[in-house]
Amino acid sequence: STPPRPPMIERFIATYSPEWYRKPTSQTVALGLVFCFVFTAYTTMQFYASTTYGQELASSTVSTIYFSFTMACLASPTIVNKIGCREAMFVGVLGYAFLVLTSLMYFLYGGENVRWARRLVVSGGAILGFGASLLWTSQGRLILAYSNKAEEKASLLGLFWAIFQCSSVIGGTLSFLYYSSNKAEGSATLYVVFGICILIGALCTQLLLPPSMLEDTTKRQDVEMISEQTPLTVDSDAQYTRGESQIMTNDRRHNVVARDARYRSHVYQQTNDVSVSSLLLYGVQPTISTSDVWQSVLQ
C-alpha cells in the first residue's frame, strides 16, 4: 500500500526551508521561541494575578490550573502519541489563550463583583492546566528526539532553557512599562497584548519539523576490532593510532588469527616437550602426546 503523504506544512517546509533549518540546533531555537512567546504572557499573568484578579480569585484560579495540570499529565502521553507532538503543542498553547479570552470577558463584561465572570476565569484556568500538560509532554518528547541527532546533547537542553527563560525578562520589562504608567490593576488592553503573544507562539508550533526530517549531526562511531596482543600481532596493531576507530577487514582478521594460532601452537609444543621430559624423568611413560591434543583443538 502507498504510505500516507506528510501534511502540507511539512512538505512545504521540507521543500523550501534552507539546510540549516533542518538541523537539531535550529529546531531547538524554534521550540524555545514557542515557549518564550507563550510564557511571556503566562508568567506575567501569574506573577500579577493577585493584582489583576484580586487575592481570592487569583488563589482559586492558580490552584485550579495546577490541579488540572497534575491530573491531565496522567493522560497527556497517550494523547500526544495519538495526535503527534506538533498538533498537541498547538492545542496546548490554545489552552493558555483560553485563559486570556476568559480574562478579557471578565474585565469587559464582568468584574470582581460578578459571579459568572469569576467562575469563567476559574474554568479558563482548568482548560489552561489541560493544555499545559500537552505542551510540556510534547516538549519533553521533542527535545529528547532532537538531542538524539545532535553531537552535543546537553547543549540543546541549555539552549532551550536559555531562550525559555527570556520570557521572564521580556514579561518583567513589559509589566514594568505598563504598571509604571497605569494603575495597579488588570485591563483589557494588557490582556490583548498577552493574547497576541500566545497566538504567535501557537503559530510557531506549526514551523516545527518532526525529528525524522532533521539532519543527523552526530559523528558515527566505527566498531574497533581488538585482538589479543602477541609478538606476532603487535606489528599489525602498531600502525593504528590510539583513539582512532578502525574496522579490520575479514582477510586481515583471518591472517592475524592464523598467525596467532601458529604462535600459540609453537608455545604449546614447547610446553608439551617440557611436560613430557618431566614425566620421563620420573619414570612415567605418557600414553598420548599433549601436542596431539592441542593440534586437534587448533584444527
Side-chain angles (χ1 to χ4, degrees):
S1 60
T2 304
R5 300 182 65 187
M8 182 178 65
I9 296 178
E10 291 184 5
R11 296 200 307 269
F12 178 82
I13 296 177
T15 304
Y16 297 102
S17 63
E19 182 179 355
W20 59 265
Y21 188 74
R22 295 192 293 271
K23 293 185 177 181
T25 302
S26 302
Q27 289 301 300
T28 302
V29 171
L31 182 61
L33 289 176
V34 171
F35 279 74
C36 183
F37 281 113
V38 173
F39 283 87
T40 292
Y42 174 70
T43 303
T44 308
M45 291 169 58
Q46 185 176 3
F47 283 167
Y48 292 93
S50 60
T51 302
T52 55
Y53 297 122
Q55 293 185 356
E56 182 179 355
L57 179 58
S59 177
S60 300
T61 303
V62 173
S63 299
T64 303
I65 287 173
Y66 286 99
F67 177 79
S68 175
F69 186 14
T70 303
M71 294 294 100
C73 282
L74 301 177
S76 59
T78 303
I79 300 174
V80 172
N81 291 335
K82 185 69 174 178
I83 66 177
C85 290
R86 189 176 62 187
E87 290 75 11
M89 289 186 70
F90 181 76
V91 174
V93 173
L94 292 183
Y96 288 79
F98 192 81
L99 178 61
V100 174
L101 179 62
T102 57
S103 299
L104 276 173
M105 297 178 67
Y106 171 82
F107 291 119
L108 292 176
Y109 304 106
E112 188 176 356
N113 298 323
V114 180
R115 179 177 297 180
W116 69 266
R118 295 198 304 269
R119 291 180 177 177
L120 189 63
V121 173
V122 174
S123 64
I127 299 298
L128 187 150
F130 175 76
S133 67
L134 296 179
L135 181 65
W136 283 104
T137 301
S138 302
Q139 181 271 342
R141 182 174 177 180
L142 278 179
I143 200 68
L144 288 177
Y146 291 162
S147 63
N148 287 335
K149 294 197 173 187
E151 181 65 22
E152 297 293 337
K153 304 181 185 303
S155 63
L156 292 186
L157 296 175
L159 178 62
F160 168 79
W161 282 98
I163 299 174
F164 169 60
Q165 292 301 325
C166 289
S167 61
S168 298
V169 178
I170 299 173
T173 303
L174 181 64
S175 60
F176 171 77
L177 295 175
Y178 175 81
Y179 287 114
S180 63
S181 58
N182 296 275
K183 56 184 180 179
E185 62 181 17
S187 69
T189 303
L190 181 63
Y191 278 80
V192 167
V193 175
F194 291 159
I196 293 174
C197 290
I198 292 177
L199 290 179
I200 293 175
L203 293 176
C204 287
T205 62
Q206 300 306 299
L207 299 179
L208 297 175
L209 292 176
S212 59
M213 297 179 65
L214 299 189
E215 177 184 349
D216 193 346
T217 60
T218 58
K219 296 180 180 178
R220 300 185 180 275
Q221 299 294 330
D222 295 330
V223 180
E224 182 178 5
M225 303 298 298
I226 303 176
S227 60
E228 182 181 355
Q229 295 296 313
T230 65
L232 293 177
T233 59
V234 169
D235 58 339
S236 298
D237 296 334
Q239 60 181 318
Y240 298 111
T241 306
R242 175 176 292 181
E244 294 182 349
S245 299
Q246 298 290 341
I247 298 179
M248 188 178 295
T249 62
N250 292 333
D251 292 339
R252 176 174 288 277
R253 186 169 62 252
H254 176 76
N255 294 335
V256 171
V257 171
R259 289 194 295 174
D260 282 350
R262 290 195 298 269
Y263 172 79
R264 293 180 184 181
S265 176
H266 176 70
V267 173
Y268 296 148
Q269 179 64 44
Q270 292 181 346
T271 304
N272 175 67
D273 293 342
V274 174
S275 300
V276 173
S277 299
S278 300
L279 292 174
L280 293 176
L281 180 62
Y282 288 97
V284 180
Q285 182 66 32
T287 58
I288 185 171
S289 174
T290 309
S291 62
D292 295 337
V293 176
W294 286 115
Q295 290 294 338
S296 62
V297 172
L298 292 174
Q299 292 176 357

